[in-house]
Amino acid sequence: MQTKRRIKFSIFLKLVLLIIVFIIVANLLLGFFIRFSLIGPPIGQFNKKAPPHLHEFIVREIGYPPDTVKAMSFVHELNIGIRFETPEVQWSSNEDIPGIKELSGEGEFRNKDERHPFDYKGRPYFIEKIPQGFVILSPPMPRDSIDYQRAILAVIVIVSVLGLLLYFSLRWIFGPVKKLSEGVEKIGEGNFDDEIKIDRSDELGLLADSINKMKSNISGMIKAKESLLIDVSHELRSPLTRIKLANEFVDDLEIHNMIKTDVDEMEKMISGLLETYRMEKGEEKLNLDITDIVDLTKNVISKFNGAKIIFESEFKERKINIDRAKIEIVLRNLLDNAIKYSEGKQVEVKISGEKNNGDKTLLSIRDYGNGIAAGEIEKIFEPFYRIDKSRDKKISGYGLGLSLVKKILDLHKVVISIQSEPAQGTRFLLTFKS
Ligand code: ADP
């Protein structure tokens, strides 16, 4: 049986992560866009990063006496401040541009003949000397910072809402995937009764319909195969009885015994098959009764005359609620296998209580025979499964014993576990609840 794949990273989780990444990236990109395209470079960048002749160019373009219309167009275009300071003209685009006196007062600005980038109260200015006096260029004015914050906030809200809308839309589109996977899992477990109901007319709806169709086809095929098997098994019973009867008239003892062995084997197989089927269909009900498992086990062991079986029990008597006849079949089959597949080596049967849970009863059947490879352990409970057909050929059997064992134990809700190593032997451990 294939090991079950577990979901490590669900697509819904991936979807959530994708949307979160989308929201963060979109916010960052839009934030940068607003910051640099709409609001302009940060304060101070203009005077430091502007091309060296830009200030000179601006001053030249405005001319003297200053063309204030042109000056204002630079002011708006570049978001800067301009102040003309000559004996004749005292003009300033903004009130807060410091005059040459204030700037000189800072002490740094001494050589009034040069063009000069100049830091005043933490803001960079540029002073351009013209023949008539000075032009002071101030850095870009901080635009209304509340507007800027609002714009960023609006972008975050819009992008987040879009992200959420995207998430819910994708969730709606892919929602049926979960239903589909649950439905397919049920089919894998052998439940062919429930339909996958997806009321959608897209590809997922179509997929659900195809799976439903496939399911009913498979279920029909299995039913046909089952009923063929059961019918044939039933029909074989009468000829077998007739052979048995006729065999009583065979005088040659050797031939008589040969026929008897073969007929007995066939009968065993047919009743095993029919019993497994009834158990599977739930036709067989458990006849639960408080039973002493120690006594029952001893009783079953006593029927294996000549086999080397060592029995050990922690309890003299251990009463549990089981169907005695069915658990007898389980013990018989497990012991039969242990003896068959260990070629006469000793078999150990032990009854004990679970250490941490006094209520539980453990029954172990251990042999020192062929053992079972790890990959085969799950498969041996399947009907008609025999590990190595050539290895087990000389050992009689049809691979039905353990499948019946499993069905009976499942009905009892008894857990069966196997520890085995090839060529070392096998331990079957049954854990009874009470
Ligand atoms: P069978 O009638 O072949 O014994 P079972 O259903 O009882 O059918 O067992 C299925 C297969 O599991 C066997 O054919 C055998 O290969 C393997 N098996 C069962 N019990 C043991 C065991 N105690 N040791 C080794 N192999 C075992």
Side-chain angles (χ1 to χ4, degrees):
M1 212 192 276
Q2 236 181 3
T3 47
K4 197 175 161 191
R5 191 204 298 266
R6 294 186 52 132
I7 295 181
K8 276 199 201 129
F9 209 36
S10 110
I11 50 171
F12 290 104
L13 192 63
K14 284 182 191 157
L15 211 66
V16 172
L17 288 179
L18 196 79
I19 305 279
I20 290 175
V21 171
F22 163 79
I23 291 177
I24 292 173
V25 172
N27 275 323
L28 285 177
L29 287 178
L30 280 167
F32 276 114
F33 174 72
I34 289 177
R35 185 75 184 81
F36 291 109
S37 310
L38 302 181
I39 293 179
I43 300 160
Q45 293 275 312
F46 173 76
N47 279 345
K48 282 191 174 145
K49 291 207 171 157
H53 300 294
L54 186 62
H55 307 89
E56 198 186 337
F57 168 78
I58 293 171
V59 173
R60 207 174 45 239
E61 278 298 299
I62 296 170
Y64 194 85
D67 177 345
T68 51
V69 175
K70 213 171 216 174
M72 279 318 279
S73 80
F74 279 119
V75 165
H76 292 305
E77 194 89 342
L78 299 171
N79 185 32
I80 55 173
I82 301 173
R83 180 182 176 121
F84 271 78
E85 208 173 312
T86 63
E88 303 87 37
V89 182
Q90 299 282 320
W91 180 88
S92 178
S93 66
N94 303 62
E95 280 172 9
D96 58 349
I97 303 174
I100 199 75
K101 259 194 194 147
E102 283 169 78
L103 293 173
S104 322
E106 283 287 299
E108 279 270 326
F109 179 64
R110 286 187 199 96
N111 188 351
K112 291 179 185 170
D113 298 328
E114 281 177 22
R115 278 188 281 124
H116 223 292
F118 196 81
D119 274 348
Y120 175 72
K121 291 189 177 166
R123 284 165 64 86
Y125 292 89
F126 202 95
I127 299 164
E128 183 79 20
K129 173 100 174 68
I130 54 170
Q132 297 82 358
F134 296 99
V135 183
I136 300 152
L137 293 143
S138 85
M141 300 290 140
R143 286 220 171 124
D144 192 346
S145 60
I146 292 183
D147 268 354
Y148 166 71
Q149 279 171 9
R150 270 193 196 153
I152 295 275
L153 202 72
V155 165
I156 291 176
V157 170
I158 290 168
V159 170
S160 306
V161 169
L162 281 179
L164 280 178
L165 280 178
L166 190 68
Y167 170 75
F168 285 114
S169 322
L170 288 174
R171 211 190 141 92
W172 177 78
I173 292 170
F174 291 110
V177 170
K178 202 171 168 205
K179 258 191 181 176
L180 276 172
S181 96
E182 280 167 4
V184 171
E185 194 167 334
K186 273 192 192 163
I187 297 173
E189 282 163 3
N191 177 352
F192 292 97
D193 299 331
D194 301 340
E195 288 265 304
I196 303 176
K197 286 196 188 89
I198 294 177
D199 193 15
R200 286 263 290 263
S201 45
D202 55 12
E203 286 83 349
L204 291 180
L206 215 70
L207 183 61
D209 287 348
S210 308
I211 293 176
N212 283 334
K213 203 167 155 198
M214 180 190 79
K215 180 178 66 76
S216 70
N217 284 346
I218 295 176
S219 144
M221 266 151 41
I222 292 176
K223 274 190 192 134
K225 218 171 112 187
E226 256 175 20
S227 60
L228 182 75
L229 202 68
I230 299 309
D231 290 349
V232 170
S233 308
H234 267 298
E235 293 307 312
L236 277 176
R237 277 182 156 177
S238 330
L240 269 183
T241 316
R242 285 202 295 275
I243 296 171
K244 245 171 137 179
L245 212 74
N247 195 30
E248 293 305 315
F249 298 100
V250 174
D251 293 331
D252 189 323
L253 199 65
E254 202 181 330
I255 297 176
H256 170 87
N257 285 343
M258 251 171 57
I259 296 175
K260 188 173 180 314
T261 315
D262 284 347
V263 169
D264 282 350
E265 212 171 283
M266 277 182 86
E267 263 191 331
K268 239 166 93 181
M269 180 186 165
I270 287 170
S271 55
L273 243 173
L274 290 174
E275 232 165 309
T276 311
Y277 174 76
R278 276 203 292 270
M279 207 76 71
E280 212 166 61
K281 290 287 133 201
E283 286 171 15
E284 201 82 346
K285 294 271 172 300
L286 286 184
N287 203 355
L288 293 176
D289 205 1
I290 303 293
T291 310
D292 179 7
I293 186 76
V294 181
D295 176 64
L296 173 64
T297 312
K298 276 189 197 159
N299 197 281
V300 175
I301 292 174
S302 71
K303 289 181 185 155
F304 287 87
N305 288 327
K308 273 189 252 164
I309 303 175
I310 297 173
F311 177 66
E312 197 188 313
S313 172
E314 263 181 26
F315 316 99
K316 260 197 156 160
E317 186 181 69
R318 184 74 164 174
K319 297 269 175 79
I320 52 176
N321 198 18
I322 50 171
D323 182 325
R324 185 182 173 102
K326 296 214 167 52
I327 295 296
E328 190 174 334
I329 298 176
V330 169
L331 296 180
R332 221 174 41 224
N333 274 315
L334 291 177
L335 273 172
D336 193 41
N337 280 348
I339 294 162
K340 264 197 314 192
Y341 297 106
S342 64
E343 292 151 7
K345 294 192 190 106
Q346 80 176 33
V347 172
E348 294 161 7
V349 180
K350 189 176 173 190
I351 297 179
S352 56
E354 200 179 55
K355 285 195 183 64
N356 304 326
N357 190 340
D359 280 351
K360 292 194 175 169
T361 307
L362 308 180
L363 195 155
S364 106
I365 297 175
R366 201 239 191 278
D367 67 58
Y368 295 89
N370 299 339
I372 305 165
E376 306 277 1
I377 287 181
E378 290 275 343
K379 296 181 193 160
I380 58 173
F381 291 110
E382 291 169 18
F384 297 107
Y385 190 83
R386 305 199 77 202
I387 292 175
D388 181 347
K389 301 210 167 49
S390 58
R391 181 191 85 172
D392 295 342
K393 200 157 62 191
K394 35 186 198 323
I395 305 171
S396 66
Y398 297 94
L400 280 172
L402 284 184
S403 90
L404 183 61
V405 163
K406 183 82 172 77
K407 298 228 158 65
I408 294 176
L409 293 179
D410 281 352
L411 277 179
H412 278 85
K413 299 202 168 51
V414 168
V415 178
I416 180 166
S417 62
I418 303 174
Q419 294 161 353
S420 186
E421 244 180 80
Q424 299 292 314
T426 309
R427 180 200 299 274
F428 282 86
L429 183 69
L430 314 188
T431 308
F432 293 87
K433 266 204 188 126
S434 51

